[in-house]
């Protein structure tokens, strides 16, 4: 190559480098004009303010560790949100104080917006609204500040006024960019809480409520919209095999919605459906969702979105001291009852069901309730069993964590045929809920269609059931009112109430020979 060609070649290469650098700079400048926003979200905390769990052999959870993680991750452009069930089925440290400690902790962390889950209704709509808006504690009369952040729900309507019981949405601004947050809760709520708790309100279609609220937000110039949905969904870690109601709803939801936080099924969800980012981060404060957004200030629309699901491992982080103080004060106020030892377990007694639908802990709880009410039969909803009994000392607090709802036991009369009908209500087209039982034994056949009689053999106290005879049956007041769709129980006659489920369980465990153990004994069998 001669000198002239060499010089020309060098000049051309230099021009390409300069051109490429200039193009890169323009591209970088274009990206930099976007405004970054971070959303940190949780779901299904359930007042587990002082409860830790184990993931991959390491401790996770606890409100003070969750707070430390959120504080460490947050920046000046961060909003902290929740998708419902932050209270209800709580640890006794929170529940015994009407879940006020949990709300205080969310205030201290600095949550910006939340929505309702089904468990927010556990103590009724009036008590739920007191926790949100503030008011005297119903037990002590002490004042309570309420939530210092807005709650939104678009699909819960007052029957008398026809208006939402809370604002359907709220608008938050980050660096001048308006972001709309819409809340919805699963329409299954009336069937999974005590019916009297929601008798004055109506739950409307989630998608229609979201789209109506979205239309209103768009009319106000809001183009960045996030939904907080206490509606289930799950996926694999890579986003594949996404399933659940929120996944099915996504394509029907207005495309102006960019991000949907899910909840209710305590699962992992990280996927994109119809251009919408769907996320859920397990439960109990063991993880949270870190969503990073880029907003175009010209269009005010979200142009980029990513998420990381972060596990709250204790390793390598110091718990937040201010939240630790709230937890410790709550423990002290909850009293000595939490640590009172009521028994010993020689082994773990688990709520895990075998293929037939029976669990060792379900057997124990059903037996406790049957004994407490001196009935021939007892049935227990598995959703009311919230934790296991673990090997070692059993405290009152441990048992309260297993059964945290303070449901009242109800004794009633049902015919043999009604009992068969009740058991057949366990199988539905979309799900199965296996009642835990005491006093009866049956075999069922899953080859028989779900809407036919699947019971092929059944005995009560060792004798074949008589469809025309009358039997005494115990259930908690949630089930007795038709909860979880077991409407046959509403047909019960001669109803009488007894102690709470937790009192029955404590008394039963205390009366057993120590240390206790419990195994499945084949009271439910699969043909």
């Amino acid at each position: 190559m001669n000198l002239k060609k060499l010089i020309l070649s060098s000049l051309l290469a230099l021009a390409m480098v300069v051109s490429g650098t200039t193009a890169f700079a323009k591209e970088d400048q274009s990206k930099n004009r976007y405004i970054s926003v971070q959303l940190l979200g949780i779901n299904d905390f359930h007042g587990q303010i002082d409860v830790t769990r184990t993931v991959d052999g390491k401790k996770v959870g606890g409100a003070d560790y969750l707070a430390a993680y959120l504080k460490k991750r947050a920046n000046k452009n961060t909003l902290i949100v929740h998708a419902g069930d932050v209270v209800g089925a709580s640890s006794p440290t929170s529940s015994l104080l009407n879940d006020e400690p949990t709300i205080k902790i969310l205030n201290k962390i600095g949550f910006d917006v939340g929505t309702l889950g089904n468990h927010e209704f556990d103590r009724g709509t009036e008590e739920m609204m007191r926790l949100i808006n503030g008011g005297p504690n119903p037990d002590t009369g002490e004042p309570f500040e309420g939530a210092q952040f807005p709650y939104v729900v678009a699909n819960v309507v007052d029957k008398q006024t026809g208006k939402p019981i809370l604002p359907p949405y709220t608008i938050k601004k980050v660096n001048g960019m308006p972001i709309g947050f819409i809340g919805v809760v699963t329409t299954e709520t009336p069937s999974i809480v005590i019916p009297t708790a929601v008798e004055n309100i109506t739950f409307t279609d989630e998608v229609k409520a979201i789209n109506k609220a979205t239309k209103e937000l768009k009319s106000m110039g809001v183009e960045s919209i996030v939904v907080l949905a206490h509606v289930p969904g799950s996926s694999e870690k890579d986003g594949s095999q996404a399933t659940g109601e929120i996944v099915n709803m996504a394509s029907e939801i207005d495309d102006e919605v960019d991000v949907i936080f899910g909840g209710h099924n305590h699962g992992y969800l990280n996927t994109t459906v119809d251009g919408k980012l769907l996320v859920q981060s397990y439960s109990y404060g063991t993880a949270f969702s870190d969503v990073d957004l880029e907003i175009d200030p010209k269009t005010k629309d979200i142009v980029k979105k990513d998420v990381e699901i972060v596990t709250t491992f204790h390793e390598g982080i110091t718990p937040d001291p201010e939240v630790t103080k709230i937890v410790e004060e709550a423990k002290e106020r909850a009293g000595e009852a939490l640590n009172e030892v009521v028994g010993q377990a020689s082994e773990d007694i688990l709520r895990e069901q075998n293929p037939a639908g029976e669990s060792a802990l379900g057997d124990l709880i059903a037996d406790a309730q049957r004994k407490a009410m001196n009935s021939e039969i007892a049935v227990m909803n598995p959703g009311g069993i919230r934790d296991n009994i673990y090997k070692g000392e059993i405290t009152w607090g441990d048992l309260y964590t297993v059964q945290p709802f303070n449901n009242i036991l109800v004794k009633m009369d049902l015919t043999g045929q009604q009992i068969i009908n009740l058991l057949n209500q366990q199988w539905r087209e979309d799900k199965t809920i296996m009642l835990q039982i005491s006093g009866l034994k049956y075999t069922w056949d899953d080859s028989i269609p779900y809407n036919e009689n699947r019971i092929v053999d059944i005995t009560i106290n060792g004798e074949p059931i008589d469809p025309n005879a009358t039997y005494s049956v115990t259930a908690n007041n949630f089930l007795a009112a038709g909860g979880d769709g077991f409407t046959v129980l509403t047909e019960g006659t001669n109803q009488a109430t007894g102690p709470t489920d937790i009192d029955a369980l404590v008394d039963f465990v205390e009366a057993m020979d120590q240390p206790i153990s419990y195994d499945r004994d084949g009271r439910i069998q699969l043909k």
Side-chain angles (χ1 to χ4, degrees):
M1 182 181 291
N2 60 36
L3 182 60
K4 185 177 180 180
K5 285 185 177 179
L6 180 62
I7 292 171
L8 288 173
S9 176
S10 298
L11 289 172
L12 178 62
L14 179 61
M16 289 175 67
V17 170
V18 171
S19 174
T21 303
T22 302
F24 178 78
K26 286 181 179 178
E27 182 184 351
D28 223 30
Q29 186 178 2
S30 174
K31 284 183 178 178
N32 286 341
R33 69 185 176 88
Y34 295 150
I35 293 175
S36 297
V37 176
Q38 181 189 47
L39 305 178
L40 300 178
I42 65 169
N43 57 275
D44 300 277
F45 183 60
H46 288 291
Q48 304 292 291
I49 62 174
D50 59 336
V51 179
T52 61
R53 288 171 168 78
T54 302
V55 173
D56 295 334
K58 302 175 183 178
K59 276 191 172 183
V60 299
D64 46 3
Y65 281 92
L66 174 64
Y69 270 94
L70 295 178
K71 181 181 290 187
K72 184 177 180 180
R73 286 266 174 159
N75 58 59
K76 64 180 181 179
N77 295 333
T78 299
L79 297 173
I80 307 177
V81 305
H82 75 73
D85 273 10
V86 290
V87 298
S90 305
S91 86
T93 305
S94 179
S95 184
L96 288 173
L97 302 174
N98 298 85
D99 275 321
E100 290 179 3
T102 295
I103 301 299
K104 288 180 180 178
I105 287 169
L106 299 190
N107 290 341
K108 178 61 69 175
I109 290 172
F111 272 72
D112 293 283
V113 59
T115 192
L116 304 178
N118 52 288
H119 280 283
E120 265 76 15
F121 294 92
D122 281 349
R123 290 188 173 99
T125 304
E126 184 178 347
E127 172 60 7
M128 177 189 74
M129 297 300 282
R130 185 193 72 86
L131 273 183
I132 294 171
N133 298 324
N137 183 293
D139 296 328
T140 66
E142 295 178 8
F144 177 63
E145 63 183 2
Q148 301 301 295
F149 57 91
Y151 271 74
V152 292
V153 67
N155 72 321
V156 184
V157 177
D158 185 284
K159 284 183 178 179
Q160 287 189 334
T161 66
K163 296 179 180 180
I165 64 171
L166 288 165
Y169 53 82
T170 190
I171 300 171
K172 296 287 182 177
K173 285 192 175 183
V174 178
N175 275 350
M177 292 298 99
I179 306 173
F181 289 88
I182 303 167
V184 291
V185 59
T186 174
T187 53
E188 287 189 357
T189 299
S191 69
I192 54 179
V193 301
I194 296 172
T196 54
V198 293
E199 61 186 356
N200 296 320
I201 54 180
T202 300
F203 294 77
T204 66
D205 182 80
E206 301 99 327
V207 172
K208 290 181 180 178
I210 292 169
N211 288 343
K212 181 176 183 292
T214 300
K215 184 178 180 180
E216 293 180 15
L217 285 168
K218 287 194 293 185
S219 72
M220 292 183 280
V222 180
E223 303 294 333
S224 298
I225 300 176
V226 176
V227 171
L228 306 176
H230 195 75
V231 179
S234 61
S235 73
E236 296 296 327
K237 296 295 176 64
D238 62 1
S240 64
Q241 299 185 38
T243 60
E245 291 174 49
I246 198 63
V247 175
N248 299 335
M249 291 175 185
S251 60
E252 301 176 34
I253 291 172
D254 192 305
D255 286 340
E256 206 63 62
V257 171
D258 298 282
V259 182
I260 304 175
F261 287 84
H264 190 50
N265 62 310
H266 299 195
Y268 176 97
L269 177 63
N270 180 359
T271 194
T272 299
V273 178
D274 193 37
K276 303 170 183 73
L277 178 64
L278 311 183
V279 298
Q280 183 185 181
S281 48
Y282 300 111
S283 60
Y284 303 140
T286 60
F288 62 94
S289 305
D290 185 341
V291 177
D292 291 315
L293 306 175
E294 297 286 339
I295 299 178
D296 187 331
K298 289 186 177 180
T299 64
K300 298 182 181 179
D301 200 4
I302 294 171
V303 295
K304 185 180 179 182
K305 50 211 176 216
D306 294 298
V307 64
E308 179 187 2
I309 307 297
V310 184
T311 303
T312 56
F313 291 115
H314 289 194
E315 193 174 80
I317 194 165
T318 302
D320 184 277
E322 292 182 303
V323 173
T324 299
K325 183 179 178 182
I326 296 174
V327 173
E328 292 304 317
E329 288 174 351
K331 284 183 178 180
E332 185 177 347
R333 290 189 64 199
E336 297 179 359
L338 291 176
N339 299 314
E340 180 187 351
V341 177
V342 297
Q344 295 275 342
S346 60
E347 59 187 3
D348 293 346
I349 305 173
L350 305 179
R351 57 179 175 162
E352 180 184 1
Q353 296 178 6
N354 63 12
E358 181 182 356
S359 75
L361 186 52
D363 287 354
L364 187 157
I365 290 171
D367 288 348
Q369 295 182 0
R370 182 164 69 104
K371 181 177 180 181
M373 298 299 286
N374 192 29
S375 61
E376 295 168 278
I377 300 167
V379 294
M380 173 64 195
N381 55 305
I385 305 174
R386 307 302 291 192
D387 206 345
N388 303 306
I389 292 175
Y390 296 103
K391 181 179 178 180
E393 281 188 350
I394 305 170
T395 66
W396 188 96
D398 292 332
L399 295 184
Y400 192 93
T401 303
V402 171
Q403 288 199 280
F405 297 107
N406 284 302
N407 285 330
I408 296 170
L409 298 184
V410 180
K411 182 178 179 180
M412 67 184 73
D413 289 339
L414 292 176
T415 67
Q417 186 59 56
Q418 286 174 317
I419 292 169
I420 295 171
N421 296 343
L422 171 68
L423 295 177
N424 277 299
Q425 286 190 320
Q426 296 175 123
W427 301 287
R428 295 90 184 268
E429 183 177 13
D430 57 340
K431 62 182 175 182
T432 296
I433 302 176
M434 296 301 293
L435 292 169
Q436 302 304 289
I437 59 173
S438 176
L440 68 155
K441 181 177 180 180
Y442 69 91
T443 301
W444 64 282
D445 186 346
D446 66 351
S447 68
I448 298 173
Y450 77 90
N451 56 351
E452 297 180 15
N453 180 21
R454 285 187 160 184
I455 308 299
V456 295
D457 179 68
I458 180 169
T459 60
I460 294 180
N461 297 321
E463 298 293 328
I465 193 170
D466 180 351
N468 299 313
T470 298
Y471 300 91
S472 58
V473 180
T474 294
N476 60 47
N477 59 323
F478 165 73
L479 278 177
D484 269 345
F486 290 102
T487 56
V488 170
L489 288 168
T490 64
E491 302 169 7
T493 58
N494 300 321
Q495 294 195 10
T497 59
T500 62
D501 50 9
I502 178 62
D503 287 341
L505 181 59
V506 169
D507 290 346
F508 190 75
V509 169
E510 285 183 323
M512 294 176 67
D513 292 334
Q514 305 293 329
I516 72 170
S517 63
Y518 237 77
D519 294 317
R520 303 185 190 102
D521 58 13
R523 56 187 74 176
I524 305 175
Q525 297 187 0
L526 181 60
K527 183 176 180 181

